[in-house]
Structures are given as C-alpha cells and as structure tokens.
Amino acid sequence: MTVASPPLLRGDGASAQNRRSTRLATPLGDMLVAVSDDGVLGAYFDGQAHQPDAAWFGARVEQRDDALLDAAAQQLTAWFAGERTDFDLPLAPLGTPFQRSVWELLLRIPPGETTTYGELSASLSPDGVATPGQAQGVGQAVGHNPVSVIVPCHRVVGSDGSLVGFAGGLDRKRWLLAHEESETTRESRLF
C-alpha cells in the first residue's frame, strides 16, 4: 500500500500554460483529467457539477503520450483499485486565494476520516471560530474543487455527519467514503 504525504498546490493558481487532457475509466464512470505545465488542473467525473466547458480542458492526448497525465491516470487507477491511499502529484488547480486555502485544508484530511464544513471554516479563522459568511464561502470552495478524489472534498460532511454536497453526486460520495473506509480498515489489520 502506497501512502504519500499530501501534495501542495503549486503556483498562484492563475496559470495554465499548455493545457491537455485525457479520459480515464473509473468504477464511478469516466473522468476527464486535465494538466498544464504547472501540474494537475482538474479531475472531473462525467456529469459533475461546476465542470468547465470542453475548450477549457485543452488538447486531448493519450495518457501514455504525456508523463504527467500518465502519472495522474496511474495513481487514480491504483487508488480506485485500493493499491494506494494518497497521491503524490504536482497540483495546480485554478482558483482564488481563498478557494486554494480551502483546498489545501482538504489535502490534510487523512484517508478514511472526515471533517465538517464548520470545522474547515473554523480552522481558517485566527480565533478558531467560524463566521456565518465564511462557512458559506468554505462550502462553495469545497463544492468547486476542480480536482475530485485527488483533493478529497468527498471527506467533508455535514455537521451531523450526514452526506451533503458533492459535485459528483451523493452516490459517488458514498462510494468514495466506503472505499476509503474499507482500505484503511484493511490496512490497520495488516499492522
């Protein structure tokens, strides 16, 4: 089982030189994975909300013809197969500084664990207390995460533990959380 330390977001979130993409089959349907010279820009399930238009993804290429797309596809395939629990890819999702700060927090949620929107919001406040407007902004940033699975927005749940808000659909979120839970349970039995 491969476990890597979480990747950090690269750059300022504004650059996307030389965009290219590939399709990847997953147990939850196809994903469109897009990269730039800076890193992975996006990983979207077919039909996912907040997905950019087709032109945003750049030229379609075969994953084997692009080192970064190939690495992303291999790591996602291994993750879905239960062969890894994290990713070690350069990430360069485009977003505002606030969105990127939220996405950095998502990268810190360990596999098999969850947090709430309120807890994320509170961790962004100097005094550890979330404001109502900030909590709403955190929810929007989580919902607009462009790098599904790799930046684990599926690990964020409602304050009562309910499954709420996932741009890829709640059935996918349920599957992703169950998959991680079974992998971390299996891994803990090995030690």
Side-chain angles (χ1 to χ4, degrees), residues 3-40:
V3 179
S5 59
L8 297 177
L9 304 184
R10 292 179 150 190
D12 62 4
S15 176
Q17 297 296 322
N18 193 20
R19 283 185 207 177
R20 58 234 184 249
S21 62
T22 197
R23 290 192 85 56
L24 174 68
T26 79
L28 299 176
D30 284 356
M31 289 186 96
L32 192 54
V33 180
V35 300
S36 72
D37 292 343
D38 293 330
V40 178

Side-chain angles (χ1 to χ4, degrees), residues 2 9 13 19 50-51 54 65 69 81 86-88 94 105 109 116 124 138 140 154 160 167 185 189:
T2 303
L9 304 184
R19 283 185 207 177
H50 314 299
Q51 191 168 150
D65 295 336
L69 281 172
D86 255 327
F87 301 89
D88 59 0
L94 304 178
L105 291 175
I109 307 168
T116 67
L124 288 172
V138 165
Q140 290 174 350
H154 59 277
D160 61 358
T185 301
R189 285 192 304 248

Side-chain angles (χ1 to χ4, degrees), residues 71-137:
Q74 286 186 28
Q75 288 188 31
L76 280 162
T77 299
W79 186 90
F80 279 107
E83 297 167 1
R84 62 181 307 128
T85 58
D86 255 327
F87 301 89
D88 59 0
L89 298 164
L91 301 177
L94 304 178
T96 67
F98 179 77
Q99 287 174 320
R100 292 170 57 79
S101 68
V102 172
W103 300 337
E104 285 280 359
L105 291 175
L106 297 177
L107 289 168
R108 296 185 183 123
I109 307 168
E113 294 185 23
T114 60
T115 191
T116 67
Y117 295 95
E119 290 169 336
L120 287 174
S121 183
S123 67
L124 288 172
S125 298
D127 60 1
V129 178
T131 63
Q134 184 179 17
Q136 182 180 22

Side-chain angles (χ1 to χ4, degrees), residues 143-160:
H144 285 82
N145 165 31
V147 195
S148 287
V149 179
I150 299 169
V151 176
C153 56
H154 59 277
R155 296 178 187 157
V156 184
V157 297
S159 60
D160 61 358

Side-chain angles (χ1 to χ4, degrees), residues 168-188:
L170 291 182
D171 287 342
R172 285 183 175 137
K173 183 173 187 163
R174 191 173 293 108
W175 188 97
L176 293 167
L177 290 170
H179 175 69
E180 285 189 337
E181 185 178 317
S182 67
E183 289 306 310
T184 55
T185 301
R186 185 173 66 97
E187 185 177 283
S188 67

